[in-house]
Amino acid sequence: MMIDAEQTILDQVRGVLARLFEIDPARIEPSSKLYEDLDIDSLDAIDLMIELKELTGRKVRPEQFKHVRTVGDVVTAVRKLVQDEDAA
Amino acid sequence: MDTTGLRSAARIDDRSPPGVALDRWWRVCATGFCFLSFGVGGTLLSFTMFPLLRLAAGSSTNARPLIRRALRASFRFFIGMMRMVGVLTYEVRNGDRLLAPGQLIVANHPTLLDIVFLLSLIPDATCVVKRGLWRNPFLRWPVAWAGYIPNSECESLVADSAATLRNGHSLVMFPEGSRTTPGQPMALKRGAAQVALASGAPVLPVTISCVPLSLTKTNPWYRVPSRPMHYTITAHPVLAATHCDRRLRAPVAARRLTRELAGLLAPESRPSSL
């Protein structure tokens, strides 16, 4: 169940990264580093957060993404975002 | 000073005629003299002309164009001096393109003197410079008074740069971030493209070539080339505003413009050294 949810989020994040930054989805793995492997800079990160906000319909605060380094970290952050809001 | 390097710089081939060795020695000394003058002259001006201009101008806004004009004259003088002593020659192609106000001038960055050349040619120009200069006791005041922009990895760099352009000043940026590493492919950061998109300013690509290549990141100043450096500074036509397509999202637009700039600024088949 959890695995499915993560897989779905990963697919969505992949879609967002491909659309926003013209990155080949095949290059996007959970272990891919945003900065080093996918060439996403600090300005891109802002666009990414705006996009994730639209995707999840949740409020996104920069501190929730402070420690995000890899695609897997993005997935975890998005899952937390959705869960926290559901719990609240 | 590294004297072994100095000796190897002037080391002569046994077969070369004495004139060649003498010419090389002369250029090692002349280059050293020019850089020394740059340091000493710059320091003197930082304590005399620049503070006087700053005081005379009253407000910091009024001071900026005066300080920039003084810097431009100083850089022009320095280039003239290097040419006079025989260290270099240069030519400027389509130099009139550099004169329009409010342009984002993007250039490749092969050598130490690139910014000196560009700031000597462009009126009322500002540039993005190393943040470290703000800690330099001699240079921090002139660069601050001239309204130069400290580099950083964050959004403030893009915002400050775009504001400068919108105020009608030209801005010089080296999208590579620092000098090209010889022998490696040119790698561009996206900052310049982001500034172009944020400001909507005309983008003027400039290519700089130096033959024989010298004063690079890996080549110390005293290792002078076999003959005087020849600089060619070419101003290309202003980019068509295709990058301002509002239907493109900012990150995609910045990537496309960066790729376009990479193609325009990549060195043509230039001889790397002779």
Side-chain angles (χ1 to χ4, degrees):
Chain A
M1 187 61 198
M2 201 60 115
I3 305 296
D4 281 353
E6 294 233 333
Q7 186 60 48
T8 313
I9 296 172
L10 175 61
D11 288 342
Q12 284 176 329
V13 168
R14 234 184 219 137
V16 168
L17 293 176
R19 199 168 63 241
L20 264 186
F21 308 122
E22 295 186 321
I23 300 169
D24 178 4
R27 276 177 57 209
I28 305 170
E29 292 299 328
S31 60
S32 309
K33 292 194 184 80
L34 297 179
Y35 181 72
E36 291 91 339
D37 301 335
L38 303 179
D39 193 27
I40 291 171
D41 62 24
S42 57
L43 279 180
D44 293 335
I46 298 171
D47 285 287
L48 178 60
M49 286 194 349
I50 294 170
E51 193 66 22
L52 291 174
K53 187 179 158 193
E54 282 170 19
L55 188 77
T56 57
R58 311 294 154 102
K59 265 189 202 144
V60 176
R61 292 192 308 275
E63 53 269 30
Q64 291 165 309
F65 283 84
K66 213 174 149 187
H67 299 293
V68 165
R69 294 286 174 273
T70 65
V71 172
D73 295 341
V74 177
V75 172
T76 311
V78 170
R79 190 163 58 80
K80 265 198 195 141
L81 213 65
V82 178
Q83 276 175 352
D84 289 355
E85 287 271 315
D86 285 347
Chain B
M1 193 163 52
D2 178 2
T3 49
T4 51
L6 200 63
R7 222 173 289 138
S8 73
R11 189 178 52 216
I12 41 158
D13 196 320
D14 289 338
R15 288 160 300 172
S16 57
V20 172
L22 195 66
D23 165 65
R24 215 166 191 176
W25 258 113
W26 164 255
R27 278 182 295 118
V28 172
C29 299
T31 307
F33 171 76
C34 287
F35 285 154
L36 189 69
S37 314
F38 189 89
V40 173
T43 306
L44 279 177
L45 293 178
S46 295
F47 287 108
T48 54
M49 180 174 70
F50 292 124
L52 283 174
L53 285 174
R54 175 66 190 84
L55 279 174
S59 74
S60 63
T61 326
N62 290 344
R64 253 174 244 145
L66 286 177
I67 300 278
R68 284 175 191 163
R69 193 174 296 178
L71 281 165
R72 188 183 175 202
S74 315
F75 290 144
R76 192 170 275 221
F77 176 83
F78 179 71
I79 296 285
M81 182 165 80
M82 290 202 85
R83 177 150 85 168
M84 212 173 69
V85 297
V87 168
L88 58 79
T89 54
Y90 70 91
E91 66 189 291
V92 181
R93 295 185 182 160
N94 306 316
D96 50 323
R97 287 179 177 152
L98 298 167
L99 305 179
Q103 301 188 104
L104 174 60
I105 291 141
V106 289
N108 62 322
H109 194 0
T111 81
L112 193 62
L113 296 179
D114 304 341
I115 191 61
V116 182
F117 269 106
L118 290 178
L119 289 179
S120 76
L121 293 167
I122 305 164
D124 195 36
T126 179
C127 58
V128 176
V129 289
K130 266 188 227 149
R131 183 163 282 272
L133 284 191
W134 268 257
R135 289 193 298 271
N136 182 312
F138 305 124
L139 293 174
R140 60 183 295 184
W141 298 114
V143 295
W145 291 334
Y148 289 176
I149 300 166
N151 69 348
S152 63
E153 288 291 319
C154 56
E155 307 85 69
S156 66
L157 169 66
V158 175
D160 292 349
S161 305
T164 295
L165 286 160
R166 277 196 294 266
N167 288 334
H169 311 295
S170 284
L171 174 72
V172 179
M173 283 184 94
F174 296 110
E176 291 168 87
S178 69
R179 275 179 284 171
T180 322
T181 308
Q184 280 184 23
M186 205 170 91
L188 263 54
K189 297 188 162 100
R190 281 193 297 276
Q194 284 156 348
V195 170
L197 292 164
S199 64
V203 178
L204 178 70
V206 170
T207 49
I208 299 168
S209 90
C210 171
V211 181
L213 187 59
S214 192
L215 299 175
T216 63
K217 213 174 191 173
T218 51
N219 193 34
W221 65 266
Y222 48 78
R223 203 153 295 154
V224 302
S226 56
R227 54 190 165 84
M229 299 174 280
H230 182 73
Y231 276 85
T232 308
I233 291 133
T234 310
H236 297 275
V238 167
L239 284 195
T242 45
H243 58 276
C244 290
D245 187 344
R246 289 280 157 221
R247 285 165 302 176
L248 284 182
R249 285 162 171 275
V252 171
R255 279 168 170 75
R256 290 195 186 167
L257 181 55
T258 303
R259 277 202 295 273
E260 190 179 351
L261 288 176
L264 289 165
L265 299 182
E268 310 89 8
S269 48
R270 295 171 189 150
S272 57
S273 63
L274 275 170

